[in-house]
Amino acid sequence: MTAPVLGKSYDRPASLDAPRAPRRAGGNNFEKYAWLFMRASGLLLVVLVIGHMTIMLMLDGGVHRLNFAFVAGRWASPFWQIWDLTMLWLAQLHGGNGLRTVIDDYARKDSTRFWLKTLLVVSMILVMVTGTYVIFTFDPNIS
């Protein structure tokens, strides 16, 4: 008496492709690019934030010198406007992408996932547009 042998279709779970199967052509690589963006933006954010914290809190008297005049002088320079704008946009996109992943992982219904992502995108756009507006239209001569 020999042990029963399962048929070929039962040897491996249906979710696995056959060995050496050709990869599917084309397709959407959004998740791959989102994953790569998270790594690159995280590294750049570390550099930007450590530079920001060093300048703001440690150099030339630290936090005691921060006031309206300091910000006005800083944002008079296009270099610092771009620095702060890059930090704002990267932080929003990095955090929003992370929250999008959390929504995908934990929202059970498609409609809930859709509305949560819609709220996320609207809030991200609102913060980025408002922040960009403030950085580029900041007027140090408010009367």
Side-chain angles (χ1 to χ4, degrees), residues 24-84:
R24 63 182 178 94
N28 189 352
N29 286 328
F30 175 77
E31 289 299 329
K32 178 178 86 169
Y33 294 125
W35 185 88
L36 289 170
F37 170 77
M38 290 296 277
R39 274 60 190 169
S41 65
L43 287 173
L44 188 54
L45 274 169
V46 166
V47 171
L48 290 170
V49 170
I50 288 176
H52 177 80
M53 300 298 282
T54 301
I55 292 164
M56 295 298 198
L57 302 177
M58 293 185 208
L59 301 178
D60 295 333
V63 73
H64 301 293
R65 72 186 163 102
L66 300 181
N67 56 25
F68 184 84
F70 177 81
V71 174
R74 182 178 161 108
W75 280 352
S77 165
F79 174 79
W80 292 116
Q81 285 179 326
I82 298 299
W83 181 290
D84 288 346

Side-chain angles (χ1 to χ4, degrees), residues 10-141:
Y10 300 106
D11 286 345
R12 88 175 95 25
S15 62
L16 296 177
D17 288 335
R20 293 179 179 80
R23 291 181 178 232
R24 63 182 178 94
N28 189 352
N29 286 328
F30 175 77
E31 289 299 329
K32 178 178 86 169
Y33 294 125
W35 185 88
L36 289 170
F37 170 77
M38 290 296 277
R39 274 60 190 169
S41 65
L43 287 173
L44 188 54
L45 274 169
V46 166
V47 171
L48 290 170
V49 170
I50 288 176
H52 177 80
M53 300 298 282
T54 301
I55 292 164
M56 295 298 198
L57 302 177
M58 293 185 208
L59 301 178
D60 295 333
V63 73
H64 301 293
R65 72 186 163 102
L66 300 181
N67 56 25
F68 184 84
F70 177 81
V71 174
R74 182 178 161 108
W75 280 352
S77 165
F79 174 79
W80 292 116
Q81 285 179 326
I82 298 299
W83 181 290
D84 288 346
L85 185 72
T86 304
M87 218 170 22
L88 169 72
W89 276 61
L90 277 178
Q92 278 297 307
L93 294 172
H94 183 91
N97 190 29
L99 192 51
R100 179 195 59 83
T101 303
V102 170
I103 291 169
D104 281 341
D105 287 346
Y106 290 104
R108 294 177 187 227
K109 292 171 41 180
D110 287 340
S111 60
T112 303
R113 192 175 301 117
F114 170 79
W115 287 112
L116 286 173
K117 285 183 182 180
T118 300
L119 286 172
L120 174 64
V121 168
V122 168
S123 65
M124 285 173 56
I125 290 171
L126 183 65
V127 169
M128 289 191 305
V129 167
T130 304
T132 302
Y133 177 77
V134 167
I135 289 172
F136 286 123
T137 63
F138 183 78
D139 183 14
N141 302 318

